Amino acid sequence: PMKSIHRFVIFLLLSGAFSTPEAISQHKFEFGVSVEPLVVPVNFGTYVEHGQGIYDINGRGKVSQSGSAYFTYWPFTSFGISLGVGIRNFRSQIDYIIPDPFVESVESVMEGSYPFTAKALGPSLSVLFRKEKWRARIGLSAIDLFDQQYISNASISGYAWISGGEVIAELEVEEDAYWHTIPSAYALLHFEGQYDIFNNVYVKCSFETTVSGQYPYPYTLVISGFSPDTPPQSQVLNDYTMKNTLTSFSFGVGYVLGFGKYKRGRTEDDK
């Protein structure tokens, strides 16, 4: 829950404020934890309209949260290798309404609402660079989704409006929502920047994106036919897909506990 995450963030900040003044950059080994109260998805490229977009289909990922724990070994003072495990949640939503083509104030022809939630857990491997209070991290993680909650549907529906014995509008709606496939795993590439605000405590901003190969489509919606606003011939009005991809920015705070010293008398390059 968000309240628990907020309490943990406050704890990290207070821990750093009252920690010992020894700089964490002098340690050879580190154990750390971090939380990201804001994981903001980038919906561009995941929810795509290939057709004319006659009807509005609103698909978007929602803000979620994540956390991680990791162990880092610094063979050199400015270069480290980290192994960790992360947990996060996912939330998304797809909504649409197809109004009556002649009288929009009456009951809609068809509408849909498809929420999706899940949790995820998996390992990560990263390399880190540090200089004074700044750090940069580049890494890969493989996470498996579990506890997926969603609505599954596969249907084809047809509608026609006739006046004077002539078809003046018709629609065919083909929908496939989490029927053949659902998001179950991601391989993610991470880029992260950190800044030490206290001894042992840092703030962070990161970017992550999927690096998997072919992406199935957990959700597709194809609307064809014609309406009073289009030429009177069957055509694709909407061709909407949700790709099984993920791109997001995250903002959070972390805590590092360092130990181990470099041997004195050695040059910086030998540490």
Side-chain angles (χ1 to χ4, degrees), residues 110-122:
M110 186 175 178
E111 59 185 80
S113 181
Y114 295 94
F116 179 88
T117 63
K119 300 179 179 65
L121 180 69

Side-chain angles (χ1 to χ4, degrees), residues 188-201:
L188 297 171
L189 176 64
H190 301 264
F191 300 91
E192 181 177 302
Q194 303 174 1
Y195 180 76
D196 299 335
I197 55 174
F198 303 114
N199 291 328
N200 301 92
V201 176

Side-chain angles (χ1 to χ4, degrees), residues 90-238:
F90 294 90
R91 299 173 62 231
S92 64
Q93 182 86 26
I94 299 173
D95 299 299
Y96 68 87
I97 296 177
I98 302 176
D100 186 284
F102 296 97
V103 186
E104 293 189 6
S105 60
V106 303
E107 183 177 352
S108 60
V109 174
M110 186 175 178
E111 59 185 80
S113 181
Y114 295 94
F116 179 88
T117 63
K119 300 179 179 65
L121 180 69
S124 64
L125 178 64
S126 307
V127 294
L128 293 90
F129 306 89
R130 64 183 177 185
K131 182 176 178 61
E132 297 177 350
K133 291 180 175 292
W134 292 95
R135 298 186 181 203
R137 176 192 298 265
I138 302 175
L140 290 169
S141 65
I143 57 175
D144 291 319
L145 275 64
F146 62 95
D147 194 23
Q148 293 100 325
Q149 303 292 325
Y150 58 93
I151 297 173
S152 182
N153 178 48
S155 62
I156 299 178
S157 304
Y159 307 89
W161 290 261
I162 301 175
S163 177
E166 180 182 354
V167 177
I168 56 177
E170 67 177 7
L171 295 175
E172 181 178 273
V173 182
E174 183 175 356
E175 185 174 42
D176 191 336
Y178 307 108
W179 185 259
H180 299 291
T181 182
I182 62 170
S184 59
Y186 290 112
L188 297 171
L189 176 64
H190 301 264
F191 300 91
E192 181 177 302
Q194 303 174 1
Y195 180 76
D196 299 335
I197 55 174
F198 303 114
N199 291 328
N200 301 92
V201 176
Y202 61 86
V203 291
K204 57 181 290 189
C205 175
S206 60
F207 171 81
E208 63 182 5
T209 186
T210 46
V211 293
S212 304
Q214 298 298 317
Y215 302 116
Y217 302 105
Y219 180 86
T220 61
L221 176 65
V222 178
I223 304 173
S224 57
F226 63 92
S227 70
D229 300 324
T230 63
Q233 58 192 32
S234 183
Q235 57 191 299
V236 176
L237 306 178
N238 291 80

